[in-house]
Amino acid sequence: MRLLVDVGNTAVKVALERSGNISVISAAHIPWQKIEEVLIAQVGGNEGLEPILHNAHLHQIPHYFASVSASLGALKCAYPEFKNLGIDRWLTVVASYHLFPNKACIIVDSGTATKVDVLGADGQHQGGWILPGLDMMIESLVANTQKVFSDSTTSFDTVLGTNTPNAVKNAALSATVALAKQAVEQIERVGNEVQLIYAGGYGELIQQHLDPSGIYFDDLVMQGLVFWRKYQQNV
């Protein structure tokens, strides 16, 4: 059994993986006696990770930090300076490549930030965009303008706002959806069928307003960790 650890900007998520099945658990309920190795994807700080590493050390369990590489088998990274690509983005690309082989994919991963990545059907990562997440957009606007405000009760939508919280929240969602649509249009322009993949805390919301036929994964980074590890074991 493996322990999968996703250290994000605002939270640390852990999951167990056994025979390809992934189940998200609480860090307080990690069955350390059954863990054989720990796989880590880290973009955030060490505070939430340190207790996990401490327990892994106590139980003499090896741990591995996932890293970005220029290629992973037939999968190619778009960044010439590949180490500058965030590991969370790379692992969503790795997972999408394996979940949808020989298919062009657009990955919309929306949490603290919204990341849109494009993967060609040939396994060539074509690059992507990073946009502030919905909450970050709203917080930045409210903090830096007078008489612009939001609230916690107004829902997100893409229609024109008829009050200030509507205008703020709907603009944030509309901008995010429009960015993802641009990626779709670029891929479809060259005649490729697109598989839309959603992830992150706001992934399902964006799915509703962009293309509900796409697929949402709540463990996409975790799946990427498992596929990444398989490559390391086969080198």
Side-chain angles (χ1 to χ4, degrees):
M1 182 185 292
R2 290 190 178 109
L3 179 67
L4 311 178
V5 185
D6 178 7
V7 185
N9 288 302
T10 57
V12 175
K13 300 176 184 176
V14 296
L16 300 176
E17 184 270 333
R18 179 165 45 189
S19 302
N21 296 314
I22 297 173
S23 54
V24 177
I25 63 168
S26 164
H29 297 104
I30 297 172
W32 286 108
Q33 300 297 336
K34 299 179 181 180
I35 303 298
E36 297 171 353
E37 63 180 21
V38 181
L39 307 182
I40 304 165
Q42 183 177 14
V43 295
N46 287 324
E47 183 177 348
L49 179 61
E50 286 177 355
I52 294 173
L53 292 178
H54 177 71
N55 275 297
H57 178 73
L58 286 179
H59 291 84
Q60 298 183 323
I61 302 169
H63 66 274
Y64 304 92
F65 284 89
S67 60
V68 183
S69 52
S71 62
L72 206 61
L75 178 63
K76 310 296 181 185
C77 180
Y79 277 29
E81 299 293 334
F82 60 86
K83 291 182 180 179
N84 291 338
L85 180 68
I87 187 60
D88 54 339
R89 290 177 60 197
W90 180 237
L91 291 176
T92 63
V93 171
V94 171
S96 300
Y97 174 72
H98 284 275
L99 292 169
F100 303 97
N102 304 312
K103 198 166 187 179
C105 297
I106 293 175
I107 306 143
V108 183
D109 183 1
S110 185
T112 304
T114 297
K115 291 89 67 177
V116 179
D117 277 282
V118 178
L119 173 65
D122 58 355
Q124 176 64 58
H125 174 224
Q126 297 180 11
W129 296 306
I130 304 173
L131 189 71
L134 299 183
D135 292 336
M136 190 181 295
M137 281 193 206
I138 293 165
E139 290 165 5
S140 175
L141 181 62
V142 171
N144 292 282
T145 55
Q146 296 181 7
K147 298 184 179 180
V148 174
F149 61 94
S150 187
D151 59 38
S152 60
T153 58
T154 299
S155 300
F156 285 97
D157 207 330
T158 53
V159 299
L160 295 173
T162 55
N163 57 58
T164 299
N166 278 150
V168 170
K169 285 191 166 182
N170 294 4
L173 179 58
S174 295
T176 302
V177 169
L179 186 72
K181 278 183 178 177
Q182 186 171 341
V184 173
E185 290 170 0
Q186 288 188 19
I187 293 296
E188 290 181 339
R189 199 174 297 141
V190 295
N192 287 324
E193 182 184 356
V194 176
Q195 175 63 57
L196 267 163
I197 300 165
Y198 304 95
Y202 280 118
E204 290 178 292
L205 175 66
I206 295 169
Q207 178 185 23
Q208 293 169 16
H209 291 274
L210 178 59
D211 184 347
S213 68
I215 301 176
Y216 173 78
F217 293 94
D218 62 0
D219 62 355
L220 196 62
V221 170
M222 302 290 194
Q223 293 197 53
L225 268 173
V226 175
F227 290 122
W228 173 85
R229 181 61 177 143
K230 286 181 180 178
Y231 275 105
Q232 310 313 306
Q233 293 173 316
N234 292 330
V235 172

